[in-house]
């Protein structure tokens, strides 16, 4: 998996360099370098986590493949840094806010990435590309999942938005396109969880918002603490 992580990093570097105008331009683009440094720092951790997150077919009692949605959720984040950098270079509808907005975007991207990784850490081997419920799997709602039901997807979207803001360009259409794909993925996962866990899942859903904390106590049974089976 370390080899695969290095290959992904190399691809990220190539696409980012294309976006900013070449390797020499990249070396003089502080925000682009800061974004890449974030990916570089996270790569070893992701290489460790991803093998543990695989769900074997023999371990899954229920699964909901969604290949088209997954393709969108892979391609948009992969291409966003390059497209956002190209838009900045072409001065395509630059966003107001100057350096503060752009460096704020770098910080938001890093925070979103950190949230995504933290959700992966909490799920451990239950993190998987395919939404699945495993054998002897208890519905958990603790930690990050006591605050929002899908912290991983929230982190991924915040990272996407942060990258666009870091280049201050009109590429805001990219996080806008990613949002319905995330919503479709979440809907499929939640149908699977409701089918498997029934009222236990419905109680958790009543108490905890999907992407934003729910203010005040929600209806339904409290249910036991823990974390969901799917990758969000």
């Amino acid at each position: 998996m370390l080899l695969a992580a290095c290959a992904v990093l190399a691809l990220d570097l190539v696409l980012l360099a294309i976006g900013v105008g070449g390797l020499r331009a990249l070396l003089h683009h502080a925000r682009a370098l800061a974004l890449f440094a974030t990916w570089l720092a996270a790569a070893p951790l992701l290489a460790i986590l991803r093998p543990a997150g695989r769900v074997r077919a023999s371990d899954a009692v229920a699964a909901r493949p969604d290949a088209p949605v997954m393709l969108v959720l892979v391609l948009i984040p992969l291409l966003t840094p390059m497209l956002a950098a190209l838009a900045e270079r072409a001065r395509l509808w630059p966003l107001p806010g100057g350096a503060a907005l752009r460096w704020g975007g770098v910080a938001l991207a890093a925070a979103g990435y950190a949230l995504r990784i933290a959700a992966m850490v909490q799920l451990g081997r239950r993190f998987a590309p395919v939404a699945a419920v495993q054998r002897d799997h208890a519905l958990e709602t603790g930690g990050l999942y006591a605050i929002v039901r899908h912290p991983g997807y929230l982190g991924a979207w915040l990272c996407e938005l942060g990258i666009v803001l870091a280049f201050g360009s009109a590429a805001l259409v990219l996080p806008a396109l990613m949002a319905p794909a995330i919503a479709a993925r979440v809907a499929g996962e939640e149908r699977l969880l409701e089918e498997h866990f029934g009222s236990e899942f419905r109680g958790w859903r009543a108490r905890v918002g999907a992407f934003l904390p729910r203010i005040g106590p929600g209806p339904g049974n409290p249910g036991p603490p823990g974390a969901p089976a799917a990758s969000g």
Side-chain angles (χ1 to χ4, degrees):
M1 285 306 296
L2 186 57
L3 202 58
C6 291
V8 171
L9 270 177
L11 179 59
D12 288 336
L13 181 62
V14 169
L15 293 175
L16 192 56
I18 291 171
V20 299
L23 188 56
R24 182 174 295 179
L26 177 60
L27 294 175
H28 292 86
H29 197 302
R31 285 171 282 120
L33 287 175
L35 287 171
F36 185 73
T38 301
W39 307 334
L40 187 63
L45 180 57
L46 289 172
I48 293 170
L49 288 174
R50 279 174 178 156
R54 289 180 177 170
V55 177
R56 295 177 300 178
S58 60
D59 292 334
V61 295
R64 191 178 294 273
D66 50 2
V69 172
M70 279 305 302
L71 184 62
V72 172
L73 292 178
V74 168
L75 286 181
I76 289 182
L78 178 66
L79 297 176
T80 291
M82 179 184 71
L83 296 176
L86 283 170
E88 179 189 49
R89 195 150 56 95
R91 301 184 185 279
L92 182 61
W93 299 315
L95 299 173
L101 175 75
R102 287 150 179 76
W103 280 105
V106 172
L108 180 62
Y113 205 12
L115 178 58
R116 174 70 168 164
I117 292 173
M120 291 172 64
V121 169
Q122 184 167 343
L123 288 179
R125 67 180 297 276
R126 290 167 296 179
F127 178 86
V130 176
V133 174
Q134 300 170 44
R135 299 181 189 280
D136 303 320
H137 194 130
L139 180 69
E140 299 184 18
T141 58
L144 291 171
Y145 294 88
I147 303 170
V148 291
R149 298 199 304 277
H150 300 282
Y153 293 133
L154 175 61
W157 190 83
L158 290 176
C159 184
E160 176 80 6
L161 178 62
I163 289 171
V164 170
L165 295 179
F167 291 104
S169 70
L172 283 170
V173 66
L174 295 169
L177 289 173
M178 189 173 172
I182 289 177
R185 170 76 176 200
V186 163
E189 287 188 2
E190 295 209 335
R191 282 194 297 270
L192 180 64
L193 292 173
E194 185 170 13
E195 288 168 6
H196 195 78
F197 295 106
S199 61
E200 191 179 355
F201 167 77
R202 289 190 289 271
W204 175 55
R205 182 176 58 191
R207 298 190 311 275
V208 181
F211 302 108
L212 294 174
R214 187 162 286 161
I215 306 301
N221 295 325
S231 60

